[in-house]
Amino acid sequence: DFNVSFFNAPNLEFETNSPSCYGETNASIVLFADSMTPTAHFTLFDYTNSTVFDSISTLQSATIEGLAVGQYIATLENDWACSTQEIIDIFQPEPLSIDSFHISDLLCYGDSTAQISYNLIGGTAPYNYVINSDSLLLNGTLSSGNFHIEFTDVNQCIVDTNFAILE
């Protein structure tokens, strides 16, 4: 009579955080090992099969930051050399951009009634704007002149443009 012992592959779970703005490399992955894994050996490879992260720990999780968008392969190996892999995709957010921008004319010479209308796409709402770096300069109170408007989303992604209001 004899017994054969076997160990199950560890359970690997993960959470991803995409970059806050288009083109940035501040994404992260959090890897989680099941409680049956006393020592977790986490490894993360990028799409070129280069090692991005390699850590042996008694902690049941690992956070990898500063990642670019793309596909990664995460591996968890336990004390008994059993391992499991997960393919993890980090996606790029849509870039914040100005879809349309219109300027209304002044009602009378010398007044401050010009208005702008705009439509933003991408980024993450809600959006804010600042005209000429002056938070007190508001839409509907614009006089003639040259202006610079900067739009930001909730993640502080920026898109800007220049415009002129004529007399």
Side-chain angles (χ1 to χ4, degrees):
D1 239 7
F2 67 93
N3 286 334
V4 175
S5 298
F6 67 94
F7 300 98
N8 291 327
N11 185 28
L12 174 62
E13 295 185 17
F14 62 89
E15 291 177 3
T16 62
N17 294 302
S18 295
S20 52
C21 298
Y22 182 86
E24 291 188 351
T25 57
N26 60 355
S28 65
I29 296 173
V30 182
L31 302 173
F32 300 97
D34 58 13
S35 61
M36 298 300 295
T37 304
T39 304
H41 181 187
F42 293 108
T43 312
L44 187 69
F45 302 95
D46 66 12
Y47 68 96
T48 66
N49 208 29
S50 296
T51 304
V52 175
F53 182 82
D54 191 350
S55 175
I56 299 173
S57 174
T58 56
L59 300 176
Q60 299 299 306
S61 67
T63 301
I64 305 101
E65 297 175 319
L67 299 173
V69 297
Q71 191 170 77
Y72 295 87
I73 298 173
T75 302
L76 170 61
E77 184 177 309
N78 63 17
D79 289 339
W80 305 281
C82 299
S83 66
T84 189
Q85 287 186 337
E86 291 287 340
I87 296 174
I88 303 172
D89 292 308
I90 295 180
F91 298 101
Q92 183 99 263
E94 291 297 319
L96 178 61
S97 62
I98 302 168
D99 185 46
S100 62
F101 190 85
H102 302 284
I103 306 164
S104 70
D105 294 329
L106 293 170
L107 296 176
C108 298
Y109 182 84
D111 69 6
S112 299
T113 57
Q115 292 190 5
I116 57 170
S117 60
Y118 56 87
N119 186 46
L120 302 176
I121 57 174
T124 306
Y127 307 110
N128 291 304
Y129 69 87
V130 175
I131 300 172
N132 287 358
S133 300
D134 183 351
S135 61
L136 300 177
L137 193 55
L138 301 175
N139 190 16
T141 64
L142 302 173
S143 57
S144 64
N146 294 315
F147 299 91
H148 177 83
I149 189 167
E150 184 175 277
F151 297 97
T152 56
D153 71 359
V154 72
N155 293 320
Q156 301 305 306
C157 305
I158 298 171
V159 65
D160 62 350
T161 192
N162 296 310
F163 66 98
I165 297 174
L166 306 174
E167 288 281 359

